[in-house]
Every structure is written in structure tokens, then in C-alpha cells.
Amino acid sequence: MKLNRRDFIRSSAVTGGAVVTAAMVADTRPAGAQTDGPAPLPASPGPGEWLPTVCQGCTSWCAAEAFVQDGRVVRVRGHHLSKSSGGYLCPRGHLGIAQMYDPDRVKVPMKRTNPQKGRGVDPKFVPISWDEALDMIADKMMELRNNDETHKFMVMRGRYTYCRDVIYDALPKIFGSPNNISHSAICAEAEKFGSYYTEGYWDYRDYDLAASKYVICFGADPIASNRQVPNAIRQWGKLLDRGTVVAVDPRLSATASKAHEWMPVKPGEDSALAVALAHVILTEGLWSREFVGDFKDGNNAFKAGETVDEAAFDEKLTNGVVKWWNIELKDRTPEWAEKVCLVPADQIRRVAIGFAKAAPNAMVWMAPGASMQPRGAYGALAAHALNGLVGGADNEGGSLQKMSAKYTHIPLYKDKYKPYLDEIAQKGLKNKKIDQRGTLEFPSLNKKPGGGVVTNRAADGILDENPNEIKVAIGYWNNFPFSCTGATRWEKALTKLPFFAHIVTNPSEMSQFADVVLPASFSMFERWGLLPSKYNRHSYIIMNQPVVKPLWDTRTDETEVVWMLAKKLKEKGFANLFDYFQTEMTDPETGKPAENEAEFGKITVKIMTEKQWNPEKYHSGDKFDGWEAFQKVGLWQSDQYPYKKKWEKGFKTKTKKFEFYSETLKDVLTKHAEKHGVDIDKVMEVTQYAGRGEQVFVPHWEPAKYHGDEAEYPFVFMDSRSRLSREGRSQNLKEFYEFKKCDPGDTSHVDVLKINPKDAATLGVSTGDWVTVTSPEKSVKVQVKLWEGVRPGTVNKTFGMGHWAYGRIAAEDYGKHAARGFNNNELLPADYDRLSGSTARHAVSRVRIEKV
């Protein structure tokens, strides 16, 4: 019998495990739940209770549990019933405890007493009551209404729960402003572009790791900093034993360090590599006949450099494979690609053949590293198209969509809010958004022209007062002066705002520009919320709930603060928002409205999760007998995603097929061009892409676009993410710095720029030396770390350090606004993948390095 290392360890654990009592592993599975998952783990010593919650350290939103003793959270773990994570939780979830108990959190409302604003300016905050804080905000909002200027009000959303409907939609709409701006475009919208304009799916994909035999990670680091990390941690060892893992990344990521093949692509040239892989798959005759189709005579006519007759191919569930070949692929040989992306031709050929032969149990895991670039939409398209070419799309071991996780939006989406729109609000809503989405330069094609957000462009809109001035703004759960490229623009924009209120857990950089700072309850343990997510073939809805009482005088940003503000606005003459809450958002069980803000927060979650807990509204998946039963488990899970669901029912594209030639993109781009009175080639010129003509509608090579001339700035700067970063919110924890060495190439407690030893020899620098790094945007100083894990000509720094606020650990000197290290986003200029609206944070800029 063959027994690998992992099976040996597993069997040893079973035979040598400790005995536990039945009471310690009492089954809390809901009725209808599958029973083949892990049983609850025994509790840690001492009295206490495991309570369900959710980790929001990334957008996987993993189901978790907190162990509460004497009113304090002392331990966390993955939810023992989770079919997605299998009870695993990555390091970010475990950092949540320290984040909640961070002594530097904002504890009470504060107001600014220094009218001067700017970086390095002491706001001179003083504590105030919630009543005074809300009075100040309501007064400023009423000034806008009295002056018929509701469109000059703005809500800026960062991370969120789906209770966002209250603050992000109901508040600005009923008040009368179009300016609800989300953070989404600084996160991952370009990667969604790739799956939408091939298979009609604008969302993060699921990946069937449990059945895959070949995984190509295009700019993804699944075991460290990408989504679905708990499942990747659980599955990766088995995957490495039975299959092949390939990492496409300019740096040796955690995933690359364990991969069978590392392809250190030149930054920004992912699309060149992807089309070369496609070229090999076709010329070698290794595409999926079942999914794509075949030549009518059975003879492969895909020959390098030769055009193919479209009529000779009998295509099945895809659209335009021959068009794609003729327009783009026929000349994209591995030898051509090697000159562009600097990956050896023989490796390209080897990986393409291995990938296709493992199909259909094969996937391309495409992530922001390959897409959040200038022109990154086509990197996303080209990488994701490989899933279709080998029949891995919506198939066993491949890239999947999701099961339905039906939750109830607040009544806003049933048009019940319209009676609450007065004439002033209706007029205000007709104005354009501050982020300039849908303009000729920023198509932001989330399913339609102007359908997406251009988050980072909002700073320019505020500064230029284009399309209008912003006078009053509320931000929550965000820190745009730190998390957006061209960060200095946000400092200037926030300085310009006449009035800004920030709802936040920690005194971040963004908070330093606020006129009022409101303390937010911590998402993982102190508030109500809900989040739908999916991975490992199951969709799920998980609840945030207050497992402990808030430590300080905090409120929930999305619900409680808004209810209190609406009540204040009613006292001052604008009753519509509060009346909407009290009339339309009543408790589904009692029919009664909230009597206070805490009740409102809970009622919002009860409304939105009623399809999960109300037996009369049962639709699928786990079934619960009422609210209390659902609250106890805190997790609803779908049935398992069936393979080939879209093969049978069709994809949500223009042709109902997986599109290599995207009629869907052609249709949307045509509408955008007609809207502005130009042709599509002009759109591509203005949006700074190289593709023209028919090439625009197929996945194609877009040359990397860097800021800075190579002669003056010889190195490409590469940003990467830390496995310890809870979306930039764990940097005031000592653990972040102590374990920084866990990120490949990094050193504990020190912010380092990683340079290949060959480049270091040319520069005359060694590990520990200080250098000046200069981009077209800014110059900064940093220590050097020599590391073979970054390709020559490229330098890399992990994002996270560089805070000049946020707390006494995050900043070098919080009182003096002195930064600890430097923020990558101050070095990187603001640029975009304009078709999706995404901020480009990879392969953006060249830099010059000089020894100090």
C-alpha cells in the first residue's frame, strides 16, 4: 500500500488522538445539513462558549467561531460546520482578537478643534458625546438640503457587510445624492472583467481544488494572501501530491516556493504569456473537443502563422475560437513570448502541454497580480480564457461559478423608497457621480457602460470639482490616503473637503482629516451583519453578531449610526429617512419597528436573512426552524455546486456560450462609443490600450505600460501582499511585525526593498544598506534586502508598512505623524485599468535606486 507523508500523519493522529466526551462534541448542525463534515472540536480548558461569527480579513469572509470566557474572546477557529473551510482559519482570522483589544482604538466620538487640515497637522481632537457629534453632521446635511445641494453630499464605503444597503444606498438616495462611492475598484474589479466578458460572470470565481490535477496561479498566491486561504491551506498538500502547481509571478511568492514550476514573468506581461500558452494548446491539438469542438475533417489546422477557415471548425459551447486564432494567436509562439515576458519558450511549451493534458481537471486561478495593472483587463481575459480552452470552466477540478445564496435586500430594492424621495432628492439624484465613471476616458464596464466604480478617481473629482463640488462627506471602514495609489491626491482632496465625518475603529490617516470621528464597533465580535460568500463548491451566508459587549462607546457604522443620524435629521425637519426605516424596516417576527439603534441593527440582519431562517421562505440548502435556531449556528450553506451547470443551461453572455470572441464586450463597448459619438478604436486610444479593430474583442497581448522612462528609471517596482494583513488593518499589532519574516524574503520588524543580488552588485549595495527609491511620483528611503526571489530588473516591497497614523505601533511616532517605513501607494502614481475602472497597483511604475 502506498502511503504518502500526509496520509501517514493523518492516520497517526487518528490512532493516537485524545479521547473526548460526547458532551464536548455535541452536534449543532441545522436540520438538513450534511453530516459528513468534521465534528465540533473540544473546547479549550475552562468554562466558556464557542459562538459563531465571521472573519473579514479578506473577501473570502470565512465562517468562524469565537471562544468567549467571562465576556472576553480568548480564541478563534474556523466554523466547525463549514463545508468550505473545513474548520480552518488562516493567520488573519487569529489576528482579529488582538485587533479588537487594540488599546489605540477610537473609544468615543471626537471633534476637530483645529480648522487647519493636512498631513502633519494636529487635528486637536477632543471627546464629545454621540448627541453632539450627530448634531454636527445633521446640521451640515441640512444646510445642503436648505440650499438645494443634496448632490454635494458623499458616502465613501470601504470594507463592509451586506448591511451596507442602509448607509450606502438608503442614506444617500433618500437624502438625494448620487455620490455613493465604494472601495471596490481598488480591490479586484479587473479580474472580474476577465470572467464576465468570457462567461458572463462578474464575481470572484470558486476553484475546485479538491479535484484539480493542474493549477496555474496567474498573479495569485492562494496559500498566503489571496482569497479562500483556509481551503487552500487544507487542500494544498494533497494537490501537490497528486497534481502540478505552476506559479506565474515576478516574485517567489509563498505559492511559488511550493510550486512545481515558477514562471517569473516580466511585470505587466501576463497577457503575452497567456496567449502563448493558448497558441501551444491549439497547435498541439490539446483543446477540449467536448467543450470547444473540432475540425469537421478531424485534422488539426492550427499551424503557427497560418490563417484557418472558420467554416472548417464545428464549434460547440464556445464562441469564436477560430476568430481568436486568426486575429491574435497564430503568431504568438513561445519564442515570441519569451522575448516579451522573459519566460523561457521551452517552459511555456512544457506548462501548456501539461496543463492541457491534465484537463478537464485543470484550472487557471487568475487574481489581481495579473489583472490590477494598466491594461490589466486583457491580462484577465487572456488568463481566464485558458479555462475555457481546456474545458475546465464550470467543470470538475476547474474554475466554477456559485450556487445561489438568496438573501433579502432591504426594501430599497423593491422601490419602496421612492415615496420617500421628495422633490429636492429627486433633483439631486439626477446629477453625475464624483468618480467620473462612464466618461469617455473611464468606461468602467461592469456589465454596462459606467456600471462600475472608479474609486481612486473620486479624489480628482473632489479636487477639480468635476462634475460638481463635494461639501459634506461621510466615510466608513476605509483609509483611502493609505490604500489608494497616488495617495497624496487623497490627502489634498480630504484637506479640501469643508466637512468630513469618519466612522472607524482606529485613528487612521483618513481620520486625521476628519471634522468628526465616530468610533465603530469591531466587525468580527461586536456587531450585527451578514455576508454571502462561497468556495469549495458551497455558497454560504454567515452572520456577524455581537459575541461580546463593545469595549467602548462604539456603534455599528452601517446601521446604528445611520438610524441615529436619521432620527436627528427628523428633529431638524427632514423626516423621510427615519420614516422609511420605521415604516419599511420592521421586525419580520413581530412587525414592530426598532425602538433604538441596537434593535435596528439586529432587525436589519433579520430582514436580510429571513430566507435562511424562516421555514415558510425556505428555498434550498440548510433549513432552520426560526431565527433563534439560525442565530445559534450563524451559518447557512447551499447544496453542492453541480459540475457543468452552465454547459447545460448556457452562460450569461450575448451568445449564451463561453466567448473567446466576446460579442458581450463588443455590444457594451459599442454602446459606450455611441454614447460619446466616437468609434471603438477612439475609445481604445483614449483609454490607453494598444488593441484596435477586431483585436479588441478577443483576449490579446497588451504591452506593459509603466510610468517613467527606462533610461531614467531602470527598475520595475512590484507591490505584493502580506499573509498577515487584514486588508491593511492589522498594522497596529505587534504580531504583524514579529512574524513579518513569514512573508517570502521579508525580515521581522523592518520595512525592506527586495533586490536581486545581480542588480545589487551593479548598484553596489548589500543587505541592510539604505537607498533612495525614486519614481515619477515621489522619492523615499528604505533598507535593502538581497533576495534571489525577485527577478532581475524588478524590485519588490510588501504592502503594509508606512503608516504615519493608525496607532502607536503602526506609526514610528504617532504624535509627530512620522511613518514607520514607507507606504507603497505614495511611490506609485495613480493609474487605472480604464475598461473596468480598477486602480492599477501592479506593474505600474519604474523606479531609480541610489545608495545613500
Side-chain angles (χ1 to χ4, degrees):
M1 179 181 70
K2 183 179 180 181
L3 192 66
N4 62 38
R5 174 175 56 86
R6 292 173 185 83
D7 289 335
F8 175 77
I9 293 172
R10 190 179 302 111
S11 62
S12 299
V14 171
T15 57
V19 177
V20 296
T21 67
M24 293 171 69
V25 290
D27 198 343
T28 56
R29 292 176 177 84
Q34 294 183 7
T35 59
D36 57 355
L41 298 173
S44 61
E49 185 178 12
W50 284 104
L51 298 174
T53 183
V54 54
C55 174
Q56 289 189 258
C58 76
T59 49
S60 287
W61 298 329
C62 295
E65 291 173 310
F67 192 64
V68 179
Q69 293 178 319
D70 298 325
R72 290 181 64 86
V73 177
V74 298
R75 184 179 166 193
V76 295
R77 69 184 184 193
H79 200 297
H80 71 275
L81 295 179
S82 174
K83 302 167 189 173
S84 296
S85 71
Y88 281 64
L89 205 60
C90 84
R92 290 193 288 269
H94 294 278
L95 288 171
I97 299 175
Q99 196 175 350
M100 179 175 65
Y101 293 120
D102 182 355
D104 290 342
R105 279 182 60 184
V106 180
K107 301 172 178 66
V108 295
M110 301 185 297
K111 73 174 180 181
R112 183 184 209 93
T113 60
N114 183 357
Q116 184 183 356
K117 292 184 180 181
R119 180 167 176 172
V121 175
D122 184 357
K124 297 184 179 178
F125 288 126
V126 297
I128 56 174
S129 67
W130 275 96
D131 191 63
E132 182 180 352
L134 293 167
D135 257 330
M136 292 176 65
I137 299 169
D139 283 342
K140 293 295 182 180
M141 293 177 69
M142 289 305 297
E143 285 180 20
L144 296 181
R145 288 197 65 82
N146 294 336
N147 294 327
D148 200 15
E149 294 181 324
T150 57
H151 60 289
K152 296 182 180 181
F153 171 70
M154 177 184 186
V155 172
M156 292 179 278
R157 190 194 81 196
R159 182 51 61 219
Y160 57 91
T161 78
Y162 272 55
C163 292
R164 65 187 180 184
D165 287 3
V166 175
I167 189 171
Y168 184 67
D169 281 328
L171 171 60
K173 283 181 179 176
I174 293 175
F175 185 73
S177 174
N179 288 310
N180 53 344
I181 305 299
S182 82
H183 81 295
S184 298
I186 65 173
C187 185
E189 295 304 272
E191 66 167 279
K192 298 174 186 175
F193 187 98
S195 56
Y196 184 78
Y197 289 105
T198 50
E199 60 173 287
Y201 183 64
W202 190 282
D203 203 344
Y204 303 124
R205 280 74 53 218
D206 191 8
Y207 296 98
D208 191 21
L209 290 176
S212 191
K213 297 177 183 177
Y214 207 109
V215 178
I216 302 179
C217 297
F218 254 95
D221 193 6
I223 61 173
S225 64
N226 212 259
R227 296 170 190 88
Q228 308 181 14
V229 175
N231 189 46
I233 291 172
R234 184 166 67 109
Q235 300 282 0
W236 216 252
K238 302 172 189 175
L239 174 62
L240 291 172
D241 284 341
R242 71 168 179 271
T244 301
V245 174
V246 177
V248 178
D249 203 309
R251 71 180 182 104
L252 188 72
S253 64
T255 297
S257 72
K258 296 181 180 295
H260 299 90
E261 299 255 11
W262 175 34
M263 305 179 88
V265 64
K266 181 181 179 182
E269 297 292 2
D270 301 83
S271 60
L273 175 58
V275 296
L277 291 169
H279 174 97
V280 173
I281 291 168
L282 291 176
T283 57
E284 294 291 329
L286 296 174
W287 70 87
S288 169
R289 267 66 174 178
E290 182 186 13
F291 188 63
V292 180
D294 200 1
F295 288 98
K296 294 176 181 177
D297 62 6
N299 296 317
N300 184 9
F302 291 124
K303 308 294 182 184
E306 297 182 13
T307 301
V308 173
D309 180 7
E310 290 184 40
F313 196 91
D314 185 12
E315 202 159 5
K316 291 185 178 180
L317 301 178
T318 64
N319 180 70
V321 67
V322 177
K323 272 190 171 73
W324 187 23
W325 170 264
N326 291 335
I327 294 167
E328 175 66 17
L329 297 182
K330 64 183 176 67
D331 299 317
R332 301 309 190 197
T333 65
E335 289 72 24
W336 165 84
E338 179 176 2
K339 297 174 184 178
V340 177
C341 70
L342 307 183
V343 175
D346 61 343
Q347 188 182 26
I348 295 173
R349 188 169 281 105
R350 181 173 65 249
V351 168
I353 292 172
F355 174 67
K357 285 185 175 180
N361 298 73
M363 69 172 77
V364 166
W365 187 318
M366 179 267 297
S371 57
M372 298 291 282
Q373 309 168 355
R375 304 173 176 168
Y378 286 99
L381 276 174
H384 191 69
L386 295 171
N387 287 311
L389 199 58
V390 300
D394 211 53
N395 204 352
E396 182 177 4
S399 169
L400 307 177
Q401 295 191 17
K402 65 180 179 182
M403 291 294 286
S404 175
K406 296 180 180 179
Y407 62 92
T408 305
H409 285 284
I410 66 170
L412 188 75
Y413 286 85
K414 299 177 182 177
D415 289 340
K416 287 188 177 181
Y417 74 99
K418 288 187 176 180
Y420 300 90
L421 297 181
D422 61 15
E423 187 176 339
I424 294 173
Q426 292 177 37
K427 181 179 178 182
L429 288 169
K430 293 179 181 178
N431 285 271
K432 294 180 179 180
K433 289 181 179 286
I434 195 67
D435 64 342
Q436 302 168 10
R437 71 185 73 178
T439 59
L440 179 59
E441 184 182 2
F442 291 96
S444 191
L445 304 178
N446 181 344
K447 304 180 184 179
K448 62 180 182 179
V453 64
V454 194
T455 311
N456 207 8
R457 191 66 179 175
D460 302 285
I462 294 169
L463 287 168
D464 300 337
E465 299 184 9
N466 179 16
N468 53 61
E469 181 184 11
I470 298 295
K471 290 185 174 181
V472 179
I474 294 175
Y476 82 97
W477 213 342
N478 51 6
N479 192 14
F480 292 163
F482 190 83
S483 58
C484 290
T485 57
T488 304
R489 298 157 38 260
W490 276 100
E491 294 175 4
K492 293 177 180 177
L494 292 168
T495 298
K496 180 182 172 66
L497 283 179
F499 185 85
F500 172 53
H502 201 206
I503 316 171
V504 67
T505 58
N506 280 64
S508 68
E509 283 77 9
M510 199 166 183
S511 306
Q512 309 306 308
F513 299 88
D515 297 276
V516 172
V517 177
L518 300 177
S521 299
F522 182 59
S523 63
M524 195 170 180
F525 306 120
E526 296 181 330
R527 59 163 292 173
W528 288 101
L530 80 148
L531 292 156
S533 192
K534 79 281 178 183
Y535 60 93
N536 199 32
R537 297 182 64 196
H538 289 277
S539 294
Y540 57 90
I541 289 178
I542 182 72
M543 277 201 301
N544 310 72
Q545 50 185 308
V547 299
V548 293
K549 293 180 179 179
L551 284 169
W552 294 292
D553 193 14
T554 63
R555 300 291 189 279
T556 301
D557 38 29
E558 295 171 320
T559 52
E560 295 180 0
V561 173
V562 185
W563 189 89
M564 295 165 73
L565 177 60
K567 190 175 182 181
K568 276 289 181 186
L569 289 168
K570 181 171 184 176
E571 293 171 3
K572 296 176 185 295
F574 176 63
N576 298 33
L577 183 61
F578 191 73
D579 289 349
Y580 165 75
F581 290 153
Q582 299 304 94
T583 304
E584 307 296 343
M585 295 183 64
T586 55
D587 189 310
E589 290 185 298
T590 67
K592 297 179 180 180
E595 294 185 4
N596 54 58
E597 66 272 17
E599 282 190 10
F600 181 73
K602 186 175 182 179
I603 287 172
T604 301
V605 174
K606 290 179 73 173
I607 291 171
M608 299 187 77
T609 60
E610 189 176 3
K611 290 179 180 178
Q612 278 66 56
W613 58 261
N614 188 340
E616 295 180 2
K617 297 191 175 185
Y618 176 77
H619 52 90
S620 62
D622 293 346
K623 188 173 184 179
F624 294 91
D625 186 22
W627 166 253
E628 288 188 7
F630 179 53
Q631 183 182 344
K632 183 178 180 181
V633 176
L635 171 67
W636 170 91
Q637 299 177 94
S638 73
D639 299 326
Q640 196 172 51
Y641 187 88
Y643 298 127
K644 297 184 177 180
K645 182 179 180 180
K646 298 300 177 184
W647 292 35
E648 298 170 3
K649 295 186 176 181
F651 295 91
K652 291 185 178 180
T653 59
K654 196 79 175 173
T655 62
K656 306 302 180 185
K657 297 182 177 183
F658 189 103
E659 296 184 341
F660 298 122
Y661 182 92
S662 183
E663 294 287 355
T664 307
L665 178 57
K666 187 175 187 177
D667 177 66
V668 175
L669 268 175
T670 298
K671 291 175 180 176
H672 182 72
E674 290 175 349
K675 173 184 174 182
H676 295 282
V678 299
D679 61 21
I680 291 176
D681 278 356
K682 184 63 177 179
V683 172
M684 301 307 286
E685 176 189 341
V686 172
T687 52
Q688 304 177 28
Y689 296 87
R692 297 291 186 273
E694 291 283 271
Q695 190 183 35
V696 172
F697 313 124
V698 298
H700 67 266
W701 171 55
E702 281 283 336
K705 173 179 172 282
Y706 308 124
H707 288 251
D709 181 73
E710 186 174 2
E712 185 177 358
Y713 304 98
F715 297 96
V716 179
F717 182 89
M718 278 300 298
D719 174 279
S720 59
R721 292 302 188 258
S722 169
R723 70 175 70 207
L724 300 172
S725 181
R726 287 179 56 84
E727 298 203 314
R729 300 181 182 93
S730 49
Q731 279 74 45
N732 202 49
L733 307 180
K734 65 181 186 303
E735 293 89 347
F736 178 86
Y737 303 93
E738 182 177 349
F739 295 106
K740 199 171 184 291
K741 62 185 178 183
C742 294
D743 292 317
D746 276 346
T747 302
S748 293
H749 305 290
V750 182
D751 204 18
V752 295
L753 183 75
K754 288 160 281 190
I755 302 177
N756 188 282
K758 292 182 179 179
D759 293 327
T762 302
L763 292 166
V765 298
S766 302
T767 295
D769 287 347
W770 284 86
V771 296
T772 299
V773 184
T774 303
S775 74
E777 185 80 4
K778 192 172 183 177
S779 289
V780 296
K781 290 183 179 179
V782 67
Q783 279 187 281
V784 165
K785 170 75 178 291
L786 271 59
W787 187 47
E788 295 86 350
V790 60
R791 70 163 303 116
T794 302
V795 295
N796 166 244
K797 192 174 88 68
T798 305
F799 174 78
M801 292 186 68
H803 280 285
W804 52 269
Y806 213 81
R808 288 169 289 183
I809 296 175
E812 184 69 24
D813 189 326
Y814 178 83
K816 296 180 180 179
H817 297 129
R820 183 174 184 176
F822 80 83
N823 177 12
N824 294 2
N825 287 326
E826 293 181 30
L827 191 69
L828 296 174
D831 204 349
Y832 308 84
D833 172 67
R834 287 166 168 76
L835 288 185
S836 66
S838 294
T839 288
R841 50 184 167 89
H842 298 291
V844 180
S845 184
R846 292 185 170 276
V847 295
R848 180 175 67 252
I849 300 172
E850 299 164 295
K851 186 176 181 179
V852 175

